[in-house]
Amino acid sequence: MNKPVYVLLLCTMLMCGVPFGTLYAGEKWPGVDEAVVNRIAREHGRKERPSLLPTAEGDLQLFMFLMAGTVGGFIAGYYWRVLLEGRKKLSDEKPTR
Amino acid sequence: MNHRYIIMLSACLPVVLTPSHARAMHISEGILPFSWALFWLCASAPFLALGLRTLVRRSEVDLASKPLVGMVAAVVFVISCMPVPVPMAGTCSHPCGTGLAAVLLGPTLGVVAAAVALLIQALFLSHGGLSTWGANLFSMGVMGSFAGYAIFRGLRMAGLGVVAAAFAAGLAADWATYAGTAMIMAAGIRGTSPFWPMAGKIALAFVPTQLPLGILEGAITAGMVSLLRKKRPDLLARTAMTGIGREGR
């Protein structure tokens, strides 16, 4: 099987489950922290505390996540380019030696 | 041309996946009693120290490994704070990336990458707690990296191809991380309840979400390793296949 078939298969698998998943979820798309970790912890008398730095308020968290994704993606892309360019430079240098 | 598509898709992904209320998938602040939080911090510390020593030694010997370490650390950070919806379960969770880090850099550097990612997430994204940083590092960094690496090495020595072994490593790292989280949680919150039934209950609750997500993580790991093998086989030979003697498979 080639790559497009794999991608199509993966997307179909994900999309087929959407209606069933949302039917059974109490709240739409909770994280496993809420659905599992915090729920079971609460059952045993442990409750999560607010984080030390209040970055989870309002759209601030949205901003922080987007910034994190952008900066992280930029760094990953930069180093990927360095890895490939390094290879290119090496192969360019070889004939002159 | 293919690169343009990949860059465009990568740029669109955060827009699609960023939730209106971000959900943390690591152990949150205050969930573990202080004594247990301290215990897991102490348990993770030697692995982190070993990882930092490896990082210093490797950067002295092999300058070319620096961009790879930087790239893998950034990838671990991004994908471990990316909530992926799992339609079969109706919930969201995230891949860990430590399987990939373990395959490309080794397990101790996988711990370092996870430590940096978890610290930034706890400080700025409210994604996992600061007091539970050690516990999250033990499950994601130590258990994830070492399980992924052990599976990868084992399968490579058994003669399996690099990409298939990388898939299994990603899968094992993800599942080991959540098995670790289940045990850490059970030890910390069980009170007088027996340990194993509690750990089993938490692990079972993770299954509907992490079962497909582990497969996705395996696919991401295999994809990255396959891409790197095509573009920089020399680099991969120095990392993932060191000492195995079946380079290029």
Side-chain angles (χ1 to χ4, degrees):
Chain A
M1 270 200 294
N2 53 12
K3 276 181 194 169
V5 179
Y6 278 123
V7 173
L8 195 69
L9 198 68
L10 188 68
C11 291
T12 313
M13 275 171 62
L14 284 170
M15 295 315 292
C16 283
V18 168
F20 303 104
T22 47
L23 270 179
Y24 292 110
E27 184 195 358
K28 276 188 179 177
W29 309 113
V32 285
D33 68 324
E34 192 50 48
V36 178
V37 176
N38 295 354
R39 180 177 59 81
I40 294 177
R42 273 198 294 271
E43 284 171 13
H44 290 79
R46 303 288 311 174
K47 277 175 80 175
E48 78 267 30
R49 284 199 307 265
S51 51
L52 298 176
L53 292 176
T55 54
E57 291 167 359
D59 278 359
L60 183 60
Q61 194 170 30
L62 196 65
F63 171 76
M64 297 299 275
F65 265 79
L66 272 173
M67 283 302 289
T70 308
V71 173
F74 177 82
I75 294 170
Y78 172 79
Y79 280 123
W80 178 250
R81 196 179 166 86
V82 168
L83 283 173
L84 296 191
E85 292 280 313
R87 175 68 172 171
K88 241 184 214 175
K89 273 180 191 167
L90 276 175
S91 57
D92 289 347
E93 280 169 12
K94 268 180 189 170
T96 59
R97 277 178 189 172
Chain B
M1 197 66 183
N2 283 338
H3 283 121
R4 282 187 192 163
Y5 282 124
I6 293 168
I7 291 165
M8 277 169 64
L9 278 172
S10 309
C12 294
L13 210 59
V15 179
V16 177
L17 295 177
T18 301
S20 55
H21 298 283
R23 302 290 187 184
M25 269 63 80
H26 310 302
I27 301 171
S28 312
E29 193 73 53
I31 292 287
L32 294 179
F34 178 74
S35 55
W36 277 106
L38 190 66
F39 172 80
W40 291 116
L41 184 66
C42 294
S44 306
F47 294 97
L48 184 59
L50 205 62
L52 289 171
R53 198 182 68 168
T54 310
L55 182 66
V56 171
R57 282 187 178 175
R58 193 176 293 182
S59 54
E60 280 170 0
V61 177
D62 184 10
L63 285 174
S65 69
K66 273 185 177 175
L68 185 66
V69 174
M71 187 197 73
V72 173
V75 168
V76 169
F77 170 70
V78 170
I79 71 173
S80 66
C81 67
M82 184 175 74
V84 177
V86 181
M88 281 77 83
T91 52
C92 290
S93 189
H94 63 84
C96 304
T98 42
L100 176 72
V103 167
L104 294 181
L105 306 174
T108 53
L109 284 180
V111 176
V112 176
V116 174
L118 287 167
L119 189 64
I120 297 172
Q121 288 165 8
L123 279 173
F124 302 111
L125 304 175
S126 303
H127 192 63
L130 260 185
S131 68
T132 53
W133 180 73
N136 286 323
L137 180 58
F138 195 86
S139 63
M140 191 173 115
V142 178
M143 289 194 71
S145 295
F146 279 86
Y149 188 71
I151 292 289
F152 181 78
R153 293 292 291 219
L155 291 177
R156 287 289 295 142
M157 280 189 235
L160 205 68
V162 175
V163 177
F167 177 86
L171 187 87
D174 188 277
W175 289 353
T177 296
Y178 283 87
T181 304
M183 285 195 273
I184 288 169
M185 283 278 297
I189 66 169
R190 71 190 171 97
T192 52
S193 311
F195 173 78
W196 287 111
M198 175 68 130
K201 179 186 168 187
I202 300 170
L204 271 178
F206 279 134
V207 166
T209 310
Q210 291 310 132
L211 200 73
L213 214 67
I215 297 168
L216 178 70
E217 173 133 24
I220 291 171
T221 309
M224 284 285 287
V225 169
S226 169
L227 194 63
L228 206 60
R229 190 179 59 163
K230 277 180 198 154
K231 302 285 182 186
R232 290 291 307 264
D234 59 315
L235 202 64
L236 201 63
R238 286 210 299 269
T239 54
M241 287 174 271
T242 308
I244 295 173
R246 286 196 182 90
E247 296 178 11
R249 278 187 65 130

